[in-house]
Every structure is written in C-alpha cells, then in structure tokens.
Amino acid sequence: MKNLFLLGAVAMLLIVTHSTQAQDNSSTSSSSHSKFYLKVVGGYFFSVSPGQFPNVGPYPPQDLHTEFGASGLDTISRKVLTGSYGEGFRAGLSVGYNINKYFAVEGTFNYFHSKKNLMTRQRATMAGSGKELGHVESHGYVNAIDFAPSLVVSPGLEKVNPYVRFGVIVPLWGRLYIETDATQVSSPAGIPPGTQVVTNISRKEEIKPNPTVGFQGALGVSFTVSPRFDIFVETEYKNVPVRSKEKEITEYNETNTLINGTTGAVVQSLPGRTVNDLSVAEKNTKYVTTLDQSSNTPVNQQGTKVIYKDDNKPANELKSYINIGGLGLNAGLKFRL
C-alpha cells in the first residue's frame, strides 16, 4: 500500500512536469487570495487488514458455545473472532498553505469513531433442556483524536485538479472502550434447597494507549466551483498500530437474585456490587510485556470478587496490540482565504 502511494506521488510529479505548458493561466487567478486555505472533510473507513482481537480479561477472542451434560462440559461450537478497529467514521478540519502552484502543506485535526466489534462471546447451556447457565459477551470500539501533517502534490490544474497527499498520523488522544454483559446461574453453599442465584454484571472499561505514530496517504481530485471554493473526493489509506498502556473499569453494576430453581420465580434480592466496591486491582490494570513472579496477578476468587497478590495495587496483564488503520472514502469542501 505504501508503494502504491509512492508510485502515485511519482506519477503526479511527472504530470506536473509535462502539464506546465498546458495550464490555462487565463483562468481566475488565485493571486487575489491568501496562500492559506481551510478544509472540512468527512468519510468512512473500511478494514483492510483484520486480525485477531485481544483477550477481554480471562476470555479469549472466541465465540464459544459449551454444553454441560452427564459427561461433563462439551464444546458445541467455537469460532475465532477477528476484525479491525480501523472501520468507522472520521471527520476532520485542515489548515493548508500553498507553497507554490504544485506543492502545499496541510495540518489536519481528525476525530475518529470506530464501529463496535464483538470481542468475545462465551455461552454455556444445559444438555437436553437448553437452559442457559452462563453468558458473557463483550463489544469494543475506539474513539480517537489525531493530528495529521502532510504534503500535497498536484499538477496545479485550474478546474479539475488531481493530487497526492501523504504524511504521518500523530494520535493526540484515544480510548478503546469495552462493554461487557454477563449472566451466571449458580448454586453456592448456604442457599435454601431448590433455589439458585442469578448474577447479572454489566461493566465498561477504558484502555489507554502508549504514544505512537502512524502513516497516511491519499489519492484525490479537487473540483473548482467558485474562485474561493473547491469540492474534493479522495481515497485514503491509514495505518496506526496501537499498544495498550493501562486500563480502568469506569462502570460496574452487579446484581444477585435468589430464584426458585424450578419455576424461575424471584425469591429475594441479594447484595451486589458497584464500581466503588471493586478493589484497586480489580478496577485498574497496568500492561506489561512479561508476567513473572513479581507481577500482581490473581491468586483466588470468591464469587465474582477476584483476589490478587496485592488488592491495593493495579493488576498486571500482558500488553495487547490493535490497529486502527483502514482504507477510506472522503469528501469535503476547501475554502481559499
């Protein structure tokens, strides 16, 4: 893909060389305008290099259906979940400067919102009845703001002007949000005979990234509609690799209900937990490249509460990697100042 844009840039430079004499200089002159211009752009990007999603806590990126029967737990179906956070909508505002007729520099601030991706689905049922014993499902999406400086090369035509744009992407802010809903039916010790406990959990976590730099390039064409305004359309490719830095659970709600095991009728509500009831280790995570004996990892579990080596310090998990690159179609308006 990078070679494609490099070839496009070379081709555009050749066009500049051979089109100088053919340029219509009698058209409306831009000398009455500043060399600065503004652009507003919106577009949609599509995934071009889907990969396997990272784990969601202890759950791998799989769509897994298991069944509990007389022989134990059997796997009914299993599917690896893949995708990309590069698919989604982006809007931007650019400030540009025309160095001359053929070259310009731009700086663009972009906002990107990816589509939601299914990251894990774990479902356990009872053989024969099909009764659901447990269900975990997580969806993730990315919101990000970046700054993209770039160089624009064109033949400088007056009415219909093709161009090549290429540069880098510097993320200024970004979050990977993961929303999880879980249900579990259990029969813990101490409850009345013939009853069960239904636990429902909903939570939202935010993953902060490490600093990174990406690549972007575009092939487009600009159409002059007035002395000050152009409209343009373009195809853009971007590649932004991102690795996780730390995670925080920002929303958490857990309810426990005692039910009749046969009819499902509610017997009574039991104590639950909120985000304020989570330990520091349950709520916060620092990602590392290696887990060893000094890492703050789980050692036990009591119900839904996970016990760590040190509950008063952030937990440790292995770094995960995602890519928010993709191929997009953009359209916008250019205003010469």
Side-chain angles (χ1 to χ4, degrees):
M1 187 62 70
K2 292 183 180 179
N3 290 335
L4 173 63
F5 285 106
L6 181 59
L7 291 173
V10 172
M12 194 63 70
L13 288 173
L14 291 175
I15 292 173
V16 170
T17 301
H18 293 286
S19 65
T20 302
Q21 298 300 322
Q23 181 65 52
D24 182 7
N25 292 320
S26 63
S27 301
T28 303
S29 173
S30 61
S31 59
S32 60
H33 307 309
S34 166
K35 290 188 174 183
F36 287 96
Y37 61 86
L38 297 176
K39 289 169 58 178
V40 290
V41 59
Y44 194 87
F45 281 78
F46 301 89
S47 171
V48 293
S49 56
Q52 185 169 302
F53 290 123
N55 292 352
V56 181
Y59 300 105
Q62 296 179 358
D63 189 347
L64 175 65
H65 179 196
T66 56
E67 189 175 72
F68 188 80
S71 60
L73 198 63
D74 296 322
T75 297
I76 303 302
S77 64
R78 185 195 303 267
K79 177 184 177 182
V80 174
L81 296 175
T82 60
S84 170
Y85 290 101
E87 182 172 350
F89 171 79
R90 194 181 73 173
L93 176 65
S94 302
V95 177
Y97 178 78
N98 291 306
I99 299 174
N100 55 37
K101 189 175 183 179
Y102 310 112
F103 296 96
V105 290
E106 290 182 5
T108 305
F109 291 93
N110 295 300
Y111 171 77
F112 176 74
H113 176 77
S114 80
K115 76 165 192 175
K116 280 191 176 182
N117 294 281
L118 176 63
M119 297 183 66
T120 188
R121 181 189 285 136
Q122 315 282 319
R123 180 169 173 255
T125 57
M126 179 69 74
S129 67
K131 179 181 179 181
E132 191 169 83
L133 303 177
H135 187 105
V136 177
E137 188 167 323
S138 297
H139 294 82
Y141 62 95
V142 167
N143 286 346
I145 297 174
D146 65 63
F147 176 68
S150 58
L151 175 66
V152 183
V153 183
S154 78
L157 304 180
E158 292 290 344
K159 297 297 183 182
V160 180
N161 190 32
Y163 61 87
V164 173
R165 176 173 56 80
F166 53 91
V168 299
I169 299 177
V170 182
L172 302 178
W173 174 89
R175 294 289 186 272
L176 167 59
Y177 296 96
I178 302 177
E179 299 173 345
T180 301
D181 291 295
T183 301
Q184 180 180 350
V185 179
S186 60
S187 300
I191 65 173
T195 62
Q196 293 178 313
V197 175
V198 177
T199 301
N200 289 288
I201 295 175
S202 63
R203 77 177 194 179
K204 182 176 183 178
E205 49 198 306
E206 298 181 11
I207 299 178
K208 301 177 183 179
N210 277 292
T212 187
V213 176
F215 164 82
Q216 50 100 2
L219 298 172
V221 60
S222 180
F223 304 90
T224 300
V225 294
S226 75
R228 284 193 178 273
F229 288 96
D230 292 353
I231 58 174
F232 62 90
V233 292
E234 62 183 23
T235 284
E236 179 179 358
Y237 173 77
K238 63 174 182 173
N239 188 303
V240 188
V242 181
R243 56 197 176 107
S244 56
K245 180 180 180 182
E246 55 188 27
K247 176 178 70 176
E248 179 184 3
I249 295 177
T250 57
E251 298 177 18
Y252 184 91
N253 184 54
E254 174 191 324
T255 61
N256 295 286
T257 306
L258 188 68
I259 65 169
N260 185 297
T262 303
T263 66
V266 175
V267 177
Q268 69 178 91
S269 296
L270 302 175
R273 294 200 298 166
T274 67
V275 68
N276 296 324
D277 299 314
L278 302 180
S279 68
V280 174
E282 288 180 296
K283 186 177 179 180
N284 299 279
T285 299
K286 287 189 176 181
Y287 291 96
V288 295
T289 55
T290 303
L291 290 175
D292 53 32
Q293 291 183 345
S294 64
S295 302
N296 193 20
T297 52
V299 294
N300 200 359
Q301 185 165 344
Q302 298 175 355
T304 60
K305 181 176 176 59
V306 180
I307 311 299
Y308 289 80
K309 292 177 180 178
D310 189 340
D311 286 336
N312 297 314
K313 292 182 179 180
N316 294 129
E317 291 183 15
L318 290 175
K319 287 182 182 293
S320 59
Y321 298 82
I322 64 172
N323 191 298
I324 56 175
L327 185 66
L329 299 174
N330 299 321
L333 180 67
K334 176 180 177 181
F335 173 68
R336 286 179 285 273
L337 300 177

